[in-house]
Amino acid sequence: MSGVLAVSARRETPRPVSPSCASIADVPRIGSGVPLVARDAELRTLTELVDRVRAGDAAAVLLGGEAGVGKSRLLAELSARAESDGIEVLAGGCVDAAEASLPYLPFAEIVGQMGASHPDLLDGHPALARLLPGAPLPGALRPEDRDLGQRQMFEGLHDALAELARDHPVLVTIEDLHWADRSSLDLLTFLLSRSYERIALVASFRSDELHRRHPLRPVLAELLRFPGVERLDLSPFDQATALAFVRTLCAADATIRSEQEMRVIAARSEGNAFLAEELVSAGTDALPVSVADVLLSRVERLSPTAQQLVRLASVSGRRVRHDRLRAATELSDDELDAALREAAAQHVLVPDGDGYVFRHALLREAVYADLMPGERTRWHAAYAAALRDDTTTGAAAELAHHAAESHDDAVALAAYVRAAREAGRLGAPTEALHNAEHALQLWPTVADPETVAGISEVMLYRATALYADNAGETDRALRHSEVALRLADRTGDPLLAAGTRRARAEYLMRVTFGVEEADRLAEEAEELVAGLPPSVEKAWVQAVHATIALTLDRFDDAREYAGRAVATYQYLPADADAGGVDIDAMVTMARADDSTGRYEQACRGLAAAVAKADGRGVLGVELRARFGLGVVLLDHGELAAAVDAFATGERVAAENGLSWSGGYGLETKIMRMITQFQTGEWDAIDATADLPGRTVPASVLARVVAAGLPVAVARGRFTEAERRLAELCDPWPSDDQDVRLVTTAGCELEIYRGRPERAAEWIETGLAWMQKLEPFHLIEVRFGALGVAAYVEIAERARQRGDTDAADAAVAAGEKLRESAEAAIEHARTTVGPEGRAWHARLQAEISRLHGEHDAEAWRTVVAEFGYGEVFRQAEGRWRLAEALVAAGDRAGAAAELRQALDVADRLGAVPLRESIRRLARRARIQLGDEPPAAPSRTPDTLTPRELAVLRLVAEGRTNRQVGEELFISEKTVSVHLSRVMGKLGAANRTEAVNVAHDRGLLT
């Protein structure tokens, strides 16, 4: 890598040139052709990033620096080198659009470039089409679909980039993140949290813009937690480098300056490349002092007409479209072209596609700040007039901004409402919320606002609440829905009041302890619609009431309310867009049937719901139906059928771009993995869990990794499992499914590692969390069985030390876990299924071990109960059964059980279980047939393996009886072995024998 990098702040990425100013592209720009100065280290860091991507890795850099320090030039140099090396470069940028919210602008540019060069790529991801210019937006999303549109777009862009990278490496650059809209930041976070191969992403931002409450600050903190994401800060030049840069600029621009003048310029630039360029080109003997003066001096060299045009352009933002500039100015075409040519010649405006961009954002900011108040108002009004009839995407938000700045509240109100709807359909809920809240602020300032806005106040508040909910702002959703409820009640319209209650109840369901209030509102809504004719809103009121009742375990009520929703739907017109309310109610009814013991009826109902949803375009409801069918089959031990149901739902989600997003698409994947652990399809689980890559940066990926933990532990990948557990539990997960998974995995990991105290801590912590999240959940039975197993080990070690108090305490702790599990069964909200019965049998068997018994019949019951399809847990039961049979003297029976357990352990790759089985076989002198018989070899000190085993246990402080129990030999035989050991080692007693053995290295 040769040369040095002189950084100016221009964007050098080539763009199409406006036809009206085609020749302007040939105008030389200040700094063009300047040798690269003092950026070797930063450029090397970025090119090494690209090299890693070329080798098959993925990486990202967040490039920070103050305005004008040279971030754009550095990205331009990186992009040029990457393109010359055959790497595809995709570039997007955020713009300073003031209050005008332009969702997904940088990604719209990237998708546009992908579509131009690889049109077939976008055909396979239709959700991306809405980002393209002129693409029709989907209709308003139904509440039941929530944020499916946004998820599909996120998934589509991720998959499209991954497909593109299969052919060749890809470099994605995004400029000016400090101006990014919230939805673009969400999409960036989503992309960086996902796995990639051969993709590099570099995003720049102004570090001096990030005040304490800037929305980019927390996003940067989150992104930098992801492995593979680095931050690179571009510092200003030091004094010597700044002087060298100024000399180079003067030479390149043929500007004659004395050495003293160049030193003054270098000092005043304070190492800022852009400011140095402006100072060099100032063209005055008395150098301007302030930054604004420096920047404005370039504009002041223009003719009055060109100056006025530049000021008008600054009102539009960093970039202005030619047609809008044409509409906003009173200049003739010839005058406009001449003024534009002059502005370009003086390096103020640069052609950029169908418009013009200020050479640097600082220049635009200085020009706009220098406007008089009257100028601002007048020119904002001119742009608003130019945008009045513009229906292209983003125009409504710009119109709203210009109308608000020109104090035309009526136009601004209507435009904000339109912009909110547009952003909502685009899948940008944060921007939709932003625009809707602006509309609410303007509402009282406008005469007859309902006519102006084309929407009632109550419906605007309801829409704002929905946008807030989709944006994850549940508190704001509740605030807006509360106002909507008051307004709805004033109208005297019972259907409107009921629908508003229904919407607020749904938001309350997502708040801790909000379900009771949600139930009250749903009950009121049901009463309001009771006497009304059938309608879509009435059906949804009844369906949501049914869902809330199901959540509260009021299964009979849930079935009744769902039945009402289905009946209401039957009377709706055939062309009514009911959003799948009938299917949603059918799912609720079937789940209620299952919870009240009507399993076959539940299966028929869910199968009917799935069939009815297929192809009807109600994706959210269809995924809920498929998920529900899988859960019911799983709960009743129909494991193979459950895997098929979940896999089908997963396929439907993937076909619609929801394979890895939240909601039922993700939940279906998680449940498929959990079920496959039971059926022993572990390779499929590993393949899924490995897909997110090396990190757990986002909640979605964390869920997948949590579901893969049981296999990692059971296959003995302890280091990986320990790292994953640490990531998942910082902080402790709030999702109940994740609590179950990490608690089980953490406990079993520590048991395998011989650390039962830590295993018990996992159980106690997980149990406490579950009792907060969902008291008396049947998972307490599994936790109880595993926790008792940990306390068995603790008690045995205490007994070996002769610490009866510690042993008794362990037994008491185990009994407490048993009591908790029994209480969960007693208060279970559903019938205890095969899995619950199997774990309860395991709990009883572990309790027998806790009290020092080897109850073969208890373990035989465990083997039988897990026989419904849980192959690994059944193999664990066979191992413990064999242990009990050996203690009872039935070595033949033990051998049969161990061989069956070993077959399963070998097939699954369950290394820890396999080692436990073989250990027991060696202790019991059982030949399993998969290894040669142990030869009666002798140690150098003539101790037999059996004598050495006895001595090792004695060294641990065990009595002869305890040694006999461990090795399945009599206490008398232990005494005989000890006598022989003492004789061979020349020891007078057992203590001396242990000391001699230690000295000779026999017990290491």
Side-chain angles (χ1 to χ4, degrees):
M1 192 182 308
S2 60
V4 288
L5 176 63
V7 181
S8 72
R10 290 180 310 280
R11 174 178 291 178
E12 297 290 343
T13 307
R15 296 177 181 271
V17 180
S18 172
S20 64
C21 289
S23 61
I24 296 179
D26 300 324
V27 176
R29 303 179 190 176
I30 187 169
S32 299
V34 174
L36 306 178
V37 175
R39 296 302 187 195
D40 280 339
E42 292 87 350
L43 185 60
R44 184 164 49 251
T45 297
L46 293 176
T47 52
E48 287 173 355
L49 167 87
V50 174
D51 290 341
R52 294 204 306 271
V53 168
R54 190 184 292 107
D57 204 349
V61 168
L62 303 175
L63 179 63
E66 66 182 36
V69 78
K71 303 178 293 297
S72 295
R73 176 64 187 275
L74 187 58
L75 285 182
E77 182 69 23
L78 175 68
S79 298
R81 295 192 181 200
E83 285 182 332
S84 67
D85 288 341
I87 294 174
E88 177 129 1
V89 178
L90 301 172
C94 311
V95 299
D96 178 15
E99 290 296 312
S101 184
L102 305 174
Y104 302 119
L105 179 61
F107 296 103
E109 293 184 353
I110 289 169
V111 170
Q113 294 162 32
M114 292 170 65
S117 56
H118 305 279
D120 294 342
L121 188 63
L122 298 191
D123 291 342
H125 304 285
L128 295 180
R130 69 187 65 174
L131 292 176
L132 299 176
L137 294 177
L141 290 176
R142 294 180 294 268
E144 61 273 14
D145 285 337
R146 306 214 173 272
D147 57 343
L148 294 184
Q150 187 182 54
R151 292 188 219 157
Q152 287 176 311
M153 189 164 59
F154 284 19
E155 286 283 352
L157 183 55
H158 169 271
D159 293 346
L161 286 171
E163 290 176 28
L164 186 61
R166 293 190 193 119
D167 297 331
H168 37 64
V170 176
L171 170 64
V172 178
T173 66
I174 299 176
E175 291 197 59
D176 300 320
L177 275 186
H178 53 280
W179 286 324
D181 59 283
R182 179 69 244 188
S183 294
S184 290
L185 294 178
D186 289 342
L187 179 48
L188 177 64
T189 302
F190 177 85
L191 293 175
L192 290 182
S193 72
R194 303 295 300 277
S195 63
Y196 282 109
E197 292 181 355
R198 308 209 305 167
I199 294 181
L201 189 147
V202 184
S204 68
F205 63 93
R206 281 194 200 172
S207 54
D208 52 330
E209 290 275 353
L210 302 189
H211 53 77
R212 187 169 58 88
R213 295 186 178 180
H214 195 288
L216 183 58
R217 284 180 68 95
V219 175
L220 290 177
E222 181 180 0
L223 295 180
L224 289 169
R225 291 181 58 197
F226 301 171
V229 178
E230 307 170 19
R231 175 167 176 167
L232 177 63
D233 286 297
L234 207 59
S235 301
F237 295 142
D238 60 29
Q239 188 61 33
T241 307
L243 179 58
F245 181 47
V246 169
R247 287 170 176 159
T248 306
L249 284 173
C250 291
D253 204 39
T255 301
I256 300 175
R257 295 279 189 185
S258 68
E259 180 66 18
Q260 180 60 29
E261 286 178 318
M262 289 189 289
R263 288 183 179 277
V264 170
I265 291 173
R268 288 185 174 176
S269 74
E270 296 183 345
N272 186 289
F274 174 71
L275 187 55
E277 291 185 13
E278 292 300 310
L279 287 166
V280 167
S281 65
T284 62
D285 294 333
L287 294 172
V289 177
S290 73
V291 173
D293 287 341
V294 171
L295 297 173
L296 291 174
S297 67
R298 179 182 297 279
V299 177
E300 290 166 355
R301 292 199 296 271
L302 300 174
S303 67
T305 300
Q307 286 188 46
Q308 183 186 38
L309 184 69
V310 168
R311 292 188 173 97
L312 176 61
S314 74
V315 174
S316 180
R318 172 83 185 277
R319 187 180 185 278
V320 59
R321 276 173 39 178
H322 180 80
D323 57 345
R324 291 180 184 166
L325 189 62
R326 165 71 276 173
T329 183
E330 297 178 356
L331 297 175
S332 67
D333 287 342
D334 289 342
E335 290 172 327
L336 176 62
D337 288 345
L340 287 169
R341 187 177 304 281
E342 184 182 353
Q346 291 297 324
H347 315 295
V348 176
L349 294 178
V350 178
D352 184 69
D354 59 354
Y356 316 95
V357 63
F358 278 86
R359 194 171 69 85
H360 195 278
L362 287 175
L363 180 57
R364 180 261 165 186
E365 292 166 17
V367 173
Y368 185 74
D370 194 51
L371 295 178
M372 298 298 289
E375 288 180 302
R376 290 189 188 183
T377 300
R378 186 172 64 255
W379 284 336
H380 276 297
Y383 277 112
L387 288 161
R388 203 64 81 85
D389 299 323
D390 194 330
T391 58
T392 59
T393 302
E398 292 185 71
L399 172 59
H401 166 61
H402 290 300
E405 289 296 315
S406 59
H407 313 300
D408 191 341
D409 290 352
V411 172
L413 171 61
Y416 275 127
V417 170
R418 185 157 62 94
R421 288 172 173 159
E422 183 179 279
R425 294 196 300 272
L426 189 61
T430 303
E431 285 61 49
L433 174 62
H434 166 88
N435 288 309
E437 288 183 333
H438 270 292
L440 289 174
Q441 291 172 3
L442 289 174
W443 191 273
T445 69
V446 175
D448 193 10
E450 187 169 325
T451 301
V452 170
I455 188 175
S456 68
E457 187 177 15
V458 61
M459 292 308 295
L460 179 56
Y461 268 104
R462 280 184 59 171
T464 308
L466 178 62
Y467 297 143
D469 184 58
N470 286 343
E473 299 281 355
T474 305
D475 288 344
R476 286 160 79 177
L478 289 172
R479 288 199 300 272
H480 291 308
S481 65
E482 184 178 14
V483 178
L485 187 57
R486 290 199 301 269
L487 293 172
D489 286 345
R490 292 175 192 167
T491 66
D493 182 342
L495 188 61
L496 179 61
T500 306
R501 280 169 169 76
R502 184 266 302 173
R504 180 167 170 78
E506 290 189 274
Y507 307 144
L508 284 165
M509 290 288 288
R510 283 182 274 286
V511 179
T512 305
F513 307 119
V515 66
E516 298 293 342
E517 174 68 9
D519 185 49
R520 183 186 66 78
L521 287 172
E523 184 69 38
E524 292 177 1
E526 181 94 32
E527 292 173 359
L528 285 166
V529 300
L532 299 180
S535 66
V536 172
E537 186 68 270
K538 179 176 180 177
W540 272 113
V541 164
Q542 294 162 331
V544 169
H545 196 193
T547 302
I548 294 172
L550 183 69
T551 303
L552 291 169
D553 300 342
R554 300 203 326 260
F555 305 118
D556 291 338
D557 288 346
R559 201 177 192 290
E560 179 184 350
Y561 304 153
R564 292 175 190 170
V566 172
T568 299
Y569 174 80
Q570 300 299 326
Y571 290 96
L572 296 179
D575 59 349
D577 183 8
V581 64
D582 55 325
I583 304 168
D584 187 82
M586 289 170 66
V587 173
T588 301
M589 192 181 303
R591 297 297 298 271
D593 283 338
D594 179 54
S595 298
T596 52
R598 294 187 281 263
Y599 165 62
E600 293 182 357
Q601 185 172 328
C603 287
R604 287 194 300 271
L606 286 164
V610 167
K612 201 169 186 180
D614 190 16
R616 217 167 101 178
V618 286
L619 181 59
V621 177
E622 179 180 355
L623 291 177
R624 183 187 178 217
R626 294 186 181 280
F627 175 81
L629 178 59
V631 169
V632 169
L633 291 168
L634 171 61
D635 287 346
H636 289 272
E638 302 288 345
L639 301 185
V643 169
D644 287 344
F646 288 134
T648 303
E650 200 175 351
R651 176 181 56 77
V652 172
E655 290 171 352
N656 288 276
L658 298 173
S659 179
W660 288 95
S661 296
Y664 283 111
L666 172 65
E667 295 302 326
T668 300
K669 186 186 300 293
I670 299 299
M671 292 307 300
R672 187 261 299 168
M673 296 171 71
I674 290 172
T675 310
Q676 285 181 324
F677 180 82
Q678 296 174 298
T679 60
E681 299 169 79
W682 290 4
D683 290 342
I685 298 173
D686 271 345
T688 304
D690 283 346
L691 197 58
R694 305 178 303 275
T695 182
V696 191
S699 59
V700 168
L701 299 184
R703 300 290 314 284
V704 176
V705 171
L709 268 176
V711 173
V713 173
R715 282 185 161 170
R717 301 198 300 267
F718 294 160
T719 301
E720 171 193 334
E722 188 171 43
R723 184 180 72 253
R724 295 296 194 192
L725 282 167
E727 293 168 341
L728 288 165
C729 296
D730 181 24
W732 190 267
S734 57
D735 181 87
D736 63 341
Q737 187 72 270
D738 289 354
V739 172
R740 300 175 222 171
L741 291 166
V742 302
T743 301
T744 300
C747 174
E748 294 193 298
L749 171 66
E750 298 300 349
I751 287 178
Y752 282 138
R753 284 187 156 179
R755 300 188 290 205
E757 290 83 5
R758 294 189 183 182
E761 288 175 6
W762 274 103
I763 292 297
E764 300 292 356
T765 303
L767 185 60
W769 273 90
M770 280 305 301
Q771 288 174 343
K772 289 180 183 177
L773 294 171
E774 193 172 346
F776 301 117
H777 194 288
L778 285 175
I779 195 65
E780 293 186 33
V781 182
R782 186 203 298 177
F783 285 1
L786 295 174
V788 170
Y791 284 119
V792 167
E793 300 298 325
I794 295 171
E796 286 186 355
R797 293 184 181 186
R799 293 183 188 115
Q800 292 163 10
R801 299 191 307 270
D803 189 343
T804 57
D805 290 342
D808 291 345
V811 171
E815 284 290 350
K816 186 177 179 181
L817 287 178
R818 181 188 64 78
E819 292 171 3
S820 175
E822 297 290 355
I825 291 175
E826 181 181 352
H827 295 89
R829 68 186 185 95
T830 59
T831 304
V832 179
E835 183 181 8
R837 292 195 297 271
W839 278 105
H840 186 247
R842 169 90 178 259
L843 173 64
Q844 300 302 325
E846 295 289 1
I847 286 291
S848 71
R849 292 180 62 225
L850 184 65
H851 292 283
E853 302 171 2
H854 290 285
D855 190 338
E857 288 308 309
W859 285 105
R860 209 179 297 279
T861 302
V862 171
V863 172
E865 291 290 355
F866 278 114
Y868 73 91
E870 275 218 61
V871 292
F872 175 67
R873 300 302 180 187
Q874 188 181 47
E876 286 184 314
R878 291 189 187 281
W879 163 52
R880 289 298 186 189
L881 172 58
E883 188 177 52
L885 291 173
V886 168
D890 184 1
R891 294 179 185 276
E897 297 296 337
L898 286 177
R899 291 189 185 104
Q900 290 186 70
L902 185 60
D903 286 344
V904 173
D906 285 340
R907 176 167 60 84
L908 298 179
V911 175
L913 177 60
R914 182 170 59 207
E915 292 176 351
S916 298
I917 291 167
R918 287 176 172 163
R919 235 181 351 255
L920 175 59
R922 286 194 297 271
R923 283 164 45 203
R925 298 181 181 179
I926 293 174
Q927 178 61 41
L928 295 178
D930 67 328
E931 54 189 6
S937 60
R938 307 225 170 208
T939 69
D941 294 271
T942 71
L943 295 184
T944 66
R946 177 62 76 179
E947 290 167 353
L948 192 56
V950 168
L951 185 59
R952 283 174 174 156
L953 292 173
V954 169
E956 293 177 6
R958 305 195 191 191
T959 65
N960 286 6
R961 181 178 63 80
Q962 292 167 339
V963 172
E965 289 177 349
E966 177 72 16
L967 298 178
F968 302 103
I969 58 179
S970 68
E971 187 173 349
K972 182 178 180 180
T973 303
V974 173
S975 180
V976 170
H977 283 307
L978 272 178
S979 297
R980 290 175 179 169
V981 167
M982 288 186 285
K984 290 177 179 180
L985 298 182
N989 52 49
R990 56 195 289 144
T991 302
E992 186 176 348
V994 169
N995 291 336
V996 171
H998 271 299
D999 292 340
R1000 298 184 185 182
L1002 300 178
L1003 298 180
T1004 56

